[in-house]
Amino acid sequence: MLRRVSIMIEKVKEILAEELSLELDEINDDSDIREDLGADSLDMVQLVMSLEDEFDLEIENEEIQSVTTVKGIVEFINKKRG
Amino acid sequence: MIFQRGKEVLGTEFPVIQGAMAWISESTLAAAVSEAGGLGVIAAGNAPFSWVKEEISKAREMTKKPLCVNVMLLSPYAEEVALGLVEEDVEFIITGAGNPGKYMAAWKGAGKKVMPVVPSTALAIRMEKSGADALIAEGTEAGGHIGEIATMALIPQIVDAVSIPVFAAGGIGDARGTLAAWMLGAEGIQVGTRFLLAHECQVHPKYKEKIKKAKDIDTMVTGRPTGHPVRVLKNALAREFMKKERAGASVEELEELGAGALNLAATEGDTKRGSFMSGQIAGLLSEEQSCKEIIQDLYIGAVELFAAKCKEADNG
């Protein structure tokens, strides 16, 4: 289980690096996506689409508004998957 | 025929949408545009639903042709306006300044055609997926709330990303702009600034004067630090805004400075304290005309220009 979570965290970091034009070492597990990584509302739309593709999910934009950190994204995805 | 799909989705004579301008595009202007064969748009702006409802019924007394309301999603009344429109006699809903995803089902269920304004391909793809009938891709040349990408770069990228019709907005003010939009793959246009100079536009005469006097370099963008950039004509208020922004003023402080400023410009013509939203194309515009003349110049002018260009090409 823990191993799966850490693989997911790495995957989410890769997506964030790609979508926000960041280097991987600029992103920590607890980085705040908006405050620390500078994602604006259009970046969030792009991010949601990449997460949907990668994890085969349907995500509403409103659902992800309360998610703030990299870890938070992974928890959110796991919850969605049930 | 040029703009065929745009005309089909609108069901109008011309593929021309009048851009929403808060405090400015009310029932008189919207009805005049629709009567002239375009799509007239009532701007909900920051107004409560009761105002929007009143304007719709006034416009309905003036025209039976299709009408539209633009829902500004940053408005404190966005939700009441969005849900209220379900029961109203308008065929189209345009949304601006955000993602209208959560209202789509209710609107589609009521048979409304929905056309979100999008500033990026990602939002365009998402809106198509949630059932949008068409999109308005608005470049940063536009007035009022704007995105970062210029029309020239934005339109072809969005056109390639979706299969629903795309209307181009931002920087279009004459037949050349209209034809250029078609060349970029757009199926129609949305024009705001030029309609400020329509006889039927009720905005304060001083606002019209400022548009007529404006040169190419006379707009600026305020509000970038708040995350909601707005293009306005330069004046004392705009300069004070910039100064405060550079000094690192808080979002609250900036919002306080801007509060009510658009109304001051639109209804009182206060050239110092008003916020005169305008697109970069203002510098091209100098003539007051009827909505009919404007729409015909934009569209028929483009058709004629296209024929002339084809002839030019044939002549080697």
Side-chain angles (χ1 to χ4, degrees), chain B residues 191-208:
Chain B
V191 170
T193 307
R194 185 158 175 190
F195 281 108
L196 285 167
L197 297 186
H199 296 316
E200 298 92 335
C201 178
Q202 305 296 304
V203 77
H204 196 282
K206 281 190 182 161
Y207 204 130
K208 297 193 185 201

Side-chain angles (χ1 to χ4, degrees), chain A residues 40-72:
Chain A
D40 64 18
S41 62
L42 293 181
D43 292 323
M44 291 304 290
V45 175
Q46 187 78 54
L47 179 63
V48 163
M49 289 178 52
S50 297
L51 292 172
E52 285 184 334
D53 285 349
E54 178 64 35
F55 298 103
D56 199 19
L57 290 168
E58 291 272 333
I59 305 171
E60 292 300 321
N61 262 62
E62 289 70 38
E63 300 181 278
I64 205 156
Q65 291 313 320
S66 55
V67 177
T68 53
T69 64
V70 177
K71 262 193 205 154

Side-chain angles (χ1 to χ4, degrees), chain B residues 24 140-146 193 196 207 210-211 214-224 228-242 245 257-258 261-263 265 271-283:
Chain B
I24 298 170
T140 193
E141 297 93 321
H145 287 106
I146 52 169
T193 307
L196 285 167
Y207 204 130
K210 264 190 93 68
I211 296 289
K215 298 183 297 299
D216 52 354
I217 55 168
D218 286 345
T219 71
M220 60 196 280
V221 178
T222 61
R224 286 202 199 276
H228 303 301
V230 171
R231 184 176 303 284
V232 295
L233 290 175
K234 290 176 186 168
N235 70 350
L237 176 73
R239 278 186 284 268
E240 191 180 335
F241 229 98
M242 282 310 251
E245 280 178 20
L257 182 63
L262 183 57
N263 190 19
T271 50
K272 287 205 179 76
R273 306 305 304 164
S275 171
F276 291 81
M277 296 188 182
S278 165
Q280 289 179 327
I281 204 68

Side-chain angles (χ1 to χ4, degrees), chain B residues 113-128:
Chain B
K113 286 193 180 173
V114 184
M115 304 187 287
V117 175
V118 293
S120 75
T121 54
L123 195 55
I125 293 166
R126 251 186 121 65
M127 290 300 98
E128 177 176 44

